[in-house]
């Protein structure tokens, strides 16, 4: 603890504590945190340079007090949000019919896509009993969370040998109670891009809503595609895609608390909102699950998108993809196999010949926060520019830890934490 009074954790201080002292305590408190700037975390951070961070921070502070719930009071935020959504729709090949809104994060975007799909399906097919979500084994837990909170049944299908979702298995799992089918760009565990065209075709053949979870890929895949046109189409250019979740606070490089949820048309979009009028304070309407929203997160998204522009995002994307390629080549030299064919910023790798858990524990002792994938057992990174300068150092440490660790005598199941 820094100089000054010790904060009593159990009660408000009798008198307030002066800001310089609190600032010192805040600084002190972070000293034990992982050195994210040094590339020591495999996820949680999306850094694109100090200049980008500064734009996001300044814009956030300028709208720190304004509230995204009160767009009728804050025309500025209404304008920023509308422009953010229009930029997103253009990037993802929307047209005059496509619509969308900002949310506070990927989980909220996913909740609202599920809600919109459920409500529209129930309206069109009143016979639905327990509405179902059909998705591959690799889809994000936010879909199960949404199912749990909103009374749907999650149905997960096996992956193909290359770890992508299997469109045939998804098609076979669709029933008359299915209200939404999911594909991921990319799926978090292995970083592979699901075959969206085939999944969307399977869904639309049975008249079912298809959601693309591009929470990770939404703001990196479009630029990766410009750099490498062999990356398959996944957005509104694909027939049958009904909605897309795309997080700005990941590869949009904006302040946390910003995602976009986009819809094929106004009918689909209509289910995102919620209206209420049965109380003494008038009409209440939100597009979001939350009420109050940080004005700063909306302003920062607008500012960073305009600051970077297409060229800026493309430049950063190239560097992130190069970082992935360098890590991929280095881990391959160590005898570790890449799982599937990751085309974007997530890399998972491992080998049955090595004791993944023991190596991970040794890497932890060396100051790395380790991400694991469990099926198959391996290591997991969601990369950004903090990793660019430390790939060599990471690989050196990994080589040392591998050399120090005997091969596994039996294959105990690997435990991993998100
Ligand atoms: C594929 C995917 N979908 C959804 C989410 C949830 O996003 P959030 O943590 O912003 O709620 C994540 C988070 O990493 C993700 O990887």
């Amino acid at each position: 603890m820094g100089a000054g009074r010790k904060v009593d954790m159990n009660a408000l201080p009798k008198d307030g504590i002066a800001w310089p002292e609190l600032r010192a305590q805040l600084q002190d408190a972070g000293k034990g945190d992982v050195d994210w700037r040094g590339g020591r975390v495999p996820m949680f951070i999306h850094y694109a340079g100090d200049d980008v961070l500064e734009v996001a921070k300044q814009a956030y502070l300028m709208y720190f007090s304004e509230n995204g719930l009160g767009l009728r009071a804050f025309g500025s935020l209404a304008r920023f949000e509308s422009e953010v959504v229009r930029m997103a729709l253009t990037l993802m090949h929307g047209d005059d019919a496509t619509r969308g809104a900002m949310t506070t994060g990927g989980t909220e975007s996913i909740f609202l896509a599920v809600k919109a799909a459920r409500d529209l399906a129930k309206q069109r097919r009143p016979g639905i009993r327990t509405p179902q979500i059909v998705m591959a084994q690799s889809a994000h837990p936010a879909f199960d969370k949404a199912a749990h909170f909103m009374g749907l049944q999650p149905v997960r299908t096996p992956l193909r040998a290359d770890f992508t979702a299997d469109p045939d298995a998804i098609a076979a799992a669709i029933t008359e109670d299915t209200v939404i089918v999911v594909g991921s760009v990319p799926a978090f565990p292995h970083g592979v891009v699901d075959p969206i065209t085939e999944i969307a075709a399977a869904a639309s053949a049975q008249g079912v809503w298809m959601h693309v979870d591009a929470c990770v890929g939404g703001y990196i895949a479009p630029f990766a595609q410009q750099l490498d046109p062999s990356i398959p189409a996944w957005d509104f250019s694909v027939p049958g895609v009904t909605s897309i979740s795309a997080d700005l606070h990941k590869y949009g490089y904006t302040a946390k608390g910003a995602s976009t949820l986009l819809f094929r048309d106004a009918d689909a979009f209509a289910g995102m909102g919620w209206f209420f009028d049965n109380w003494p304070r008038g009409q209440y309407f939100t597009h979001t699950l939350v009420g109050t929203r940080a004005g700063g997160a909306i302003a920062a998204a607008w500012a960073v998108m305009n600051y970077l522009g297409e060229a800026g995002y493309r430049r950063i994307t190239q560097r992130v993809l190069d970082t992935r390629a360098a890590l991929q080549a280095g881990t391959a030299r160590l005898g570790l196999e890449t799982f599937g064919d990751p085309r974007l910023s997530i890399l998972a790798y491992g080998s049955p010949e090595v004791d993944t858990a023991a190596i991970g524990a040794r890497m932890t002792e060396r100051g790395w926060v380790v991400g694991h994938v469990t099926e198959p057992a391996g290591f997991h990174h969601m990369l950004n520019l903090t990793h660019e300068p430390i790939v060599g150092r990471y690989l050196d440490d990994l080589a040392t830890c591998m050399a120090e660790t005997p091969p596994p005598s039996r294959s105990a199941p690997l435990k991993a934490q998100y």
Side-chain angles (χ1 to χ4, degrees):
M1 193 70 71
R5 263 183 300 161
K6 192 166 185 305
V7 173
D8 176 352
M9 313 296 268
N10 299 313
L12 278 172
K14 288 276 179 265
D15 299 308
I17 301 172
W19 167 238
E21 194 177 326
L22 290 173
R23 185 174 46 210
Q25 294 201 19
L26 287 164
Q27 260 159 2
D28 248 27
K31 281 190 182 148
D33 287 354
V34 67
D35 172 20
W36 66 261
R37 279 185 174 275
R40 294 277 172 169
V41 266
M43 57 185 288
F44 306 129
I45 296 285
H46 293 84
Y47 172 79
D50 279 350
D51 58 329
V52 182
L53 200 55
E54 201 48 34
V55 169
K57 283 184 184 176
Q58 294 291 336
Y60 197 104
L61 288 179
M62 285 175 74
Y63 285 85
F64 182 86
S65 299
E66 284 74 1
N67 187 341
L69 176 62
L71 295 183
R72 73 193 170 94
F74 306 114
S76 52
L77 296 182
R79 193 193 118 205
F80 299 149
E81 176 166 6
S82 151
E83 291 181 14
V84 163
V85 167
R86 278 186 281 143
M87 285 188 270
L89 286 170
T90 304
L91 195 60
M92 294 170 214
H93 297 103
D95 55 23
D96 288 348
T98 48
R99 299 279 185 280
M102 286 182 72
T103 73
T104 60
T107 300
E108 189 183 17
S109 288
I110 286 169
F111 262 64
L112 291 165
V114 169
K115 174 208 169 299
R118 181 199 63 182
D119 290 357
L120 193 67
K122 281 191 158 178
Q123 202 180 308
R124 292 185 176 164
R125 292 183 274 143
I128 289 174
R129 294 156 298 180
T130 303
Q132 292 170 334
I133 305 175
V134 173
M135 59 191 155
Q137 201 55 35
S138 55
H140 195 270
F143 291 98
D144 291 71
K145 198 177 191 180
H148 180 74
F149 278 45
M150 291 191 284
L152 290 88
Q153 183 191 6
V155 178
R156 285 184 176 255
T157 58
L159 299 178
R160 299 191 288 198
D162 65 358
F163 305 104
T164 58
D166 181 347
D168 294 335
I170 286 178
I174 295 173
T175 70
E176 55 197 23
D177 288 333
T178 305
V179 299
I180 186 168
V181 160
V182 177
S184 303
V185 179
F188 189 69
H190 310 97
V192 294
V193 175
D194 283 340
I196 298 303
T197 301
E198 291 80 355
I199 298 172
S204 69
Q206 305 201 49
V208 176
W209 182 301
M210 199 258 155
H211 179 78
V212 175
D213 178 10
C215 281
V216 170
Y219 294 96
I220 191 167
F223 308 104
Q225 285 178 301
Q226 290 174 13
L227 296 163
D228 175 1
S230 75
I231 295 173
W234 58 273
D235 58 18
F236 288 119
S237 60
V238 176
V241 168
T242 319
S243 56
I244 299 174
S245 48
D247 290 356
L248 287 158
H249 63 199
K250 295 190 172 80
Y251 290 97
Y253 304 116
T254 69
K256 289 184 179 58
S259 173
T260 42
L261 179 58
L262 310 170
F263 296 87
R264 167 72 67 185
D265 56 32
D267 280 353
F269 181 48
M272 182 178 176
W274 189 77
F275 177 79
F276 182 78
D277 198 12
N278 183 22
W279 72 324
R281 185 54 183 83
Q283 299 183 344
Y284 179 94
F285 177 80
T286 56
H287 276 120
T288 45
L289 201 60
V290 300
T292 289
R293 283 191 293 157
I298 299 170
W302 180 90
V304 171
M305 289 171 98
N306 282 294
Y307 175 73
L308 285 174
E310 270 207 52
Y313 278 113
R314 198 165 44 238
R315 267 196 310 274
I316 295 165
T317 299
Q318 180 71 69
R319 289 171 62 190
V320 172
L321 297 182
D322 289 348
T323 304
R324 190 210 73 221
L327 186 58
Q328 195 169 353
T331 51
R333 280 195 301 275
L334 296 177
L336 303 172
E337 179 201 342
T338 296
F339 299 151
D341 180 18
R343 310 293 298 274
L344 301 172
S345 55
I346 291 178
L347 179 68
Y349 52 89
S351 162
E353 310 296 318
V354 304
D355 188 335
T356 311
I359 295 167
R362 286 200 156 91
M363 290 294 277
T364 305
E365 280 166 19
R366 285 173 175 258
W368 300 95
V369 175
V370 178
H372 281 302
V373 59
T374 57
E375 295 169 22
F379 302 95
H380 182 273
H381 295 260
M382 178 154 64
L383 297 157
N384 64 75
L385 293 191
T386 61
H387 300 113
E388 190 180 47
I390 56 83
V391 169
R393 175 127 182 246
Y394 174 84
L395 289 168
D396 287 349
D397 276 3
L398 187 58
T400 306
C401 291
M402 285 174 68
E404 289 170 357
T405 310
S409 49
R410 62 182 178 87
S411 58
L414 177 67
K415 285 205 167 58
Q417 204 177 353
Y418 189 77

